[in-house]
Amino acid sequence: MSLSNRDMADIFERCADMLQIRGDNIHRVLSYRRAAETIRALPRDLRVIASEGGLTELKYIGKTIAAKIDEMLETGELDFYQRLRAEVPEGLVDIMHINGVGPKKAKLFWKQLNITTVAQLQAAAQAGELAALSGMGTKSQQKILAGIEALSRQTGRASIGDALPAAKAILAQLMQLPEAQQGELAGSIRRGRETIGDVDILIASDKAAPIMQRFVTMENVARVLGHGPSKSSVELLSGLQVDLRVLEKARWGTALNYFTGSLAHNVKMRQIALEHGYSLNEHALSPVDATKAIIEDAEKALCDSEEKVYAALGMQYVPPELREDSGEIEAARAHELPQLITRADIVSDLHMHTTWSDGKQSIREMAEACIQRGHHTIAITDHSRSLGIANGLSIERLLAQADEVRQVNAEMGDRIELLAGTEMDIKADGSLDYPDEVLAQLDFVIASLHSGLGQGREQITQRLLNAIRNPYVRMIGHPSARQYPNREEVDADWDAVITAAQEHETVLEINANPLRLDLKPELARLAKDSGVLLAINTDAHRIEQLDLLDFGVSNARRGWVETRHVVNTWSSEQLRQWLSNRP
Ligand code: DGT
Ligand code: CA
Ligand code: CA
Ligand code: ZN
């Protein structure tokens, strides 16, 4: 069998894991891990690079690793890996990736209890056998059980943050072909879902063959899964699967509508079509007569735009982000769809980090970058003192930073307004990381959960409520603290949180980072329905991340959020007025 880049990266990764469990030198472990990372990120096929003799020119690939790559390319196997597998049971690799385990504990369970599979580990934890081991306890045993449950929920879907740039690049490449008349992303990626099963691309053309040919021979294709006249599928080197469909321009509207989905939205659309005397599928919206036979009138049957499909059914055009059968069909029929927020409505960013804590750029550099992006106001919100790993600010450093923010603000004149802020930790015991008299000296205080995320519902809710009720706290950052794919959202009483946020005029954030997208759409929708103020911020730790805003906007749109619900759409005067409104 011939191995793809991804297969070889996986093998090196597993070698590194097994070496680590065995207790090998960390440098040796890292050499395999880094090689795996390099290969995973490669935009070209390793086979081609090897044939050009270029393997050792790659980062972290020396003679030893290069020889192993050659071996895998020639034989489809790696002897070194087979020998490791004979020594270290492979199930331990899965065990070491459970949240709360790691290589040392995996080895401990193996040597002490002869555990070599996740199922055995789960049984041992449920029987209370892990807690008795040295260095363990009931708490770590509990954490491992939760980690195993989280593992079973992982689905192998890609983050939209990884999938969207890859999908756009492919679409752009195909649209350069003279045969391509019209092109669009479809499926879940067009609907803006947080995670993507596969990427769906649609292109209109009279000549599909050259487009299909280019698609299956793109440089970043690992495998061709199908190559037909109207549909082809490939797996990219990154592991992402992409489906391409090519169709006549005259059928564009029905095809795009069908392949955008969701399935549930499509089902309802078809029902409505039938009520109007049509049969709807990806090819056409065809009139049916009383006997339910399709009338042979091709001209009438085709829709070259989605707008025409919805209009023919007496509906408003439904933005893709809403197409989840969560009320949009009924609203579109009643012509009562919301006026969804757009990127162009956003004129401030109230959450970002700088070199003062764990960001990569200075206050001045972030300000310049935000001027280019059209913001009138930004808040500089570095981490607070208890977040040691993120270089959180002591009170002295926080106040020194606030001085610098005000100095830069003065220098910037009316090009942009800077707010001196903080992203203050809501500590595990529920207290806030800075006292009120310090908070009183800042312009914008965010409070966020970063630790103690596994606490029970009552405790988490209480911590959030404490922060929401503090008069200096103006916003809760990434309220559910979820992070894809490793961290589930916290367990909180969201009704209570939303009620309190509304009552205290504390903003709830929609964090735009594609690994967070927090609040999630369902909660954002509940919040705005209850009159809670929302914000869409990037939480940028470097300049490029300021462009993650689009993900936050799609996420908000999926939550039916309108311009009026979001403080980042306010004018400078309105924002300032609101900020001066309290202590
Ligand atoms: P994903 O890929 O899991 O993130 O989710 P989708 O929504 O992209 O699903 P996918 O790629 O399987 O199919 C793309 C769209 O095509 C889907 O949203 C609706 C449409 N579709 C696929 N299969 C069917 C079907 O059997 N019936 C109908 N009505 N529509 C379908
Ligand atoms: Ca899809
Ligand atoms: Ca698909
Ligand atoms: Zn944070």
Side-chain angles (χ1 to χ4, degrees):
M1 186 187 114
S2 95
L3 300 177
S4 69
N5 286 18
R6 191 192 192 198
D7 296 328
M8 290 184 269
D10 286 347
I11 290 174
F12 281 143
E13 184 96 46
R14 293 181 90 81
C15 287
D17 290 346
M18 289 176 174
L19 290 170
Q20 208 173 357
I21 293 167
R22 202 171 71 172
D24 272 46
N25 178 306
I26 191 67
H27 295 293
R28 188 163 192 222
V29 171
L30 282 180
S31 68
Y32 287 95
R33 222 180 268 305
R34 291 198 181 117
E37 273 168 32
T38 299
I39 295 171
R40 231 182 268 292
L42 274 184
R44 299 180 62 211
D45 196 336
L46 262 186
R47 188 172 301 276
V48 177
I49 299 173
S51 71
E52 294 167 353
L55 286 179
T56 51
E57 279 157 40
L58 298 171
K59 208 168 138 195
Y60 298 125
I61 304 223
K63 280 203 182 114
T64 317
I65 302 273
K68 291 189 160 72
I69 294 173
D70 282 330
E71 182 189 338
M72 286 191 277
L73 288 173
E74 271 167 39
T75 67
E77 280 182 34
L78 182 63
D79 184 53
F80 175 66
Y81 174 53
Q82 300 304 343
R83 280 185 286 129
L84 273 175
R85 286 169 76 183
E87 197 181 329
V88 181
E90 198 148 31
L92 292 175
V93 170
D94 300 327
I95 288 180
M96 80 170 261
H97 287 297
I98 294 168
N99 208 348
V101 183
K104 289 216 176 74
K105 282 188 185 153
K107 186 176 184 181
L108 177 77
F109 302 148
W110 174 34
K111 294 294 181 190
Q112 297 291 320
L113 300 173
N114 204 20
I115 288 171
T116 57
T117 66
V118 174
Q120 288 169 356
L121 181 68
Q122 189 170 26
Q126 280 160 350
E129 291 168 20
L130 302 187
L133 295 173
S134 88
M136 293 284 298
T138 46
K139 246 190 160 169
S140 32
Q141 179 170 275
Q142 204 53 43
K143 194 170 174 196
I144 288 173
L145 274 177
I148 294 172
E149 274 162 37
L151 200 67
S152 70
R153 279 190 299 265
Q154 285 182 15
T155 51
R157 298 174 64 86
S159 153
I160 192 169
D162 294 329
L164 190 61
K168 281 184 175 168
I170 293 174
L171 179 61
Q173 195 178 337
L174 297 175
M175 287 309 292
Q176 281 174 358
L177 296 173
E179 293 84 3
Q181 298 167 321
Q182 197 165 354
E184 189 96 58
L185 302 179
S188 54
I189 205 166
R190 180 164 184 243
R191 303 198 309 279
R193 272 196 64 175
E194 308 94 299
T195 64
I196 306 300
D198 68 5
V199 173
D200 300 281
I201 300 181
L202 247 52
I203 290 188
S205 173
D206 301 328
K207 273 201 211 127
I211 299 174
M212 291 300 181
Q213 185 57 30
R214 167 66 67 89
F215 179 65
V216 298
T217 55
M218 293 183 304
E219 212 173 36
N220 59 343
V221 168
R223 279 195 194 92
V224 178
L225 306 170
H227 184 177
S230 61
K231 181 186 174 188
S232 296
S233 299
V234 299
E235 186 185 314
L236 303 182
L237 294 171
S238 64
L240 192 65
Q241 192 182 315
V242 187
D243 290 349
L244 170 67
R245 292 176 180 86
V246 179
L247 53 120
E248 299 165 57
K249 202 165 188 284
R251 301 181 190 278
W252 182 254
T254 45
L256 183 60
N257 190 241
Y258 181 93
F259 290 112
T260 296
S262 65
L263 211 58
H265 181 87
N266 289 357
V267 169
K268 283 240 172 109
M269 288 290 284
R270 212 156 30 203
Q271 283 169 0
I272 296 170
L274 285 174
E275 288 171 26
H276 281 76
Y278 293 106
S279 147
L280 174 63
N281 59 26
E282 65 267 49
H283 307 295
L285 181 67
S286 323
V288 284
D289 66 18
T291 66
K292 300 281 180 220
I294 291 175
I295 299 167
E296 295 291 327
D297 183 351
E299 287 305 301
K300 239 172 132 182
L302 303 181
C303 291
D304 62 4
S305 77
E306 280 196 312
E307 283 78 2
K308 287 187 186 166
V309 179
Y310 286 105
L313 304 184
M315 298 168 72
Q316 261 178 306
Y317 172 80
V318 181
E321 295 93 336
L322 297 186
R323 300 184 196 169
E324 300 290 349
D325 186 23
S326 54
E328 79 283 4
I329 297 267
E330 295 73 14
R333 296 189 86 174
H335 289 253
E336 283 171 357
L337 281 174
Q339 277 291 323
L340 298 180
I341 186 164
T342 67
R343 166 68 182 87
D345 297 327
I346 300 215
V347 285
S348 63
D349 191 341
L350 303 176
H351 185 172
M352 68 187 66
H353 299 266
T354 70
T355 45
W356 279 84
S357 68
D358 57 350
K360 290 283 178 288
Q361 267 87 30
S362 67
I363 297 171
R364 195 172 275 100
E365 287 167 327
M366 292 306 266
E368 289 289 351
C370 288
I371 291 170
Q372 286 178 6
R373 284 160 180 79
H375 295 321
H376 63 58
T377 300
I378 59 173
I380 301 296
T381 55
D382 275 301
H383 289 291
S384 64
R385 55 184 175 176
S386 75
L387 219 57
I389 45 163
N391 190 25
L393 274 55
S394 67
I395 292 176
E396 291 69 29
R397 289 182 67 223
L398 174 69
L399 297 178
Q401 185 195 30
D403 283 344
E404 186 181 319
V405 170
R406 287 174 181 136
Q407 190 189 327
V408 175
N409 184 46
E411 284 169 25
M412 293 287 159
D414 53 15
R415 296 170 69 215
I416 195 165
E417 192 83 25
L418 280 79
L419 303 175
T422 178
E423 183 186 15
M424 172 176 60
D425 208 36
I426 305 171
K427 298 203 290 185
D429 65 5
S431 66
L432 299 175
D433 208 6
Y434 296 125
D436 282 1
E437 60 270 24
V438 171
L439 299 181
Q441 301 177 55
L442 300 175
D443 307 321
F444 190 71
V445 176
I446 306 174
S448 302
L449 296 170
H450 292 113
S451 56
L453 303 176
Q455 292 174 354
R457 170 176 295 213
E458 217 158 295
Q459 242 175 317
I460 294 279
T461 307
Q462 202 49 54
R463 286 167 70 192
L464 286 169
L465 293 184
N466 279 352
I468 288 169
R469 289 173 184 150
N470 180 294
Y472 297 99
V473 172
R474 308 311 296 263
M475 183 179 97
I476 304 297
H478 47 72
S480 83
R482 71 173 184 167
Q483 248 178 317
Y484 187 79
N486 299 319
R487 212 178 281 155
E488 291 291 311
E489 61 185 49
V490 292
D491 185 11
D493 177 349
W494 293 111
D495 286 331
V497 169
I498 285 169
T499 305
Q502 190 274 333
E503 190 181 330
H504 294 270
E505 256 188 58
T506 306
V507 177
L508 297 183
E509 182 179 60
I510 295 177
N511 190 293
N513 188 303
L515 298 182
R516 289 194 181 273
L517 295 176
D518 177 14
L519 296 174
K520 65 180 176 186
E522 297 79 1
L523 280 177
R525 189 169 172 185
L526 272 181
K528 64 100 185 156
D529 282 344
S530 304
V532 172
L533 291 173
L534 298 171
I536 304 175
N537 302 311
T538 61
D539 192 1
H541 284 67
R542 41 173 204 275
I543 284 176
E544 311 85 77
Q545 291 184 336
L546 292 166
D547 295 321
L548 298 178
L549 204 50
D550 289 321
F551 294 106
V553 171
S554 318
N555 198 60
R557 289 167 64 90
R558 287 177 63 78
W560 294 53
V561 172
E562 302 180 50
T563 308
R564 63 195 168 95
H565 301 126
V566 178
V567 298
N568 309 73
T569 67
W570 291 351
S571 69
S572 165
E573 295 69 34
Q574 197 177 354
L575 185 61
R576 219 145 306 283
Q577 176 64 40
W578 178 74
L579 284 170
S580 64
N581 223 329
R582 265 194 295 178

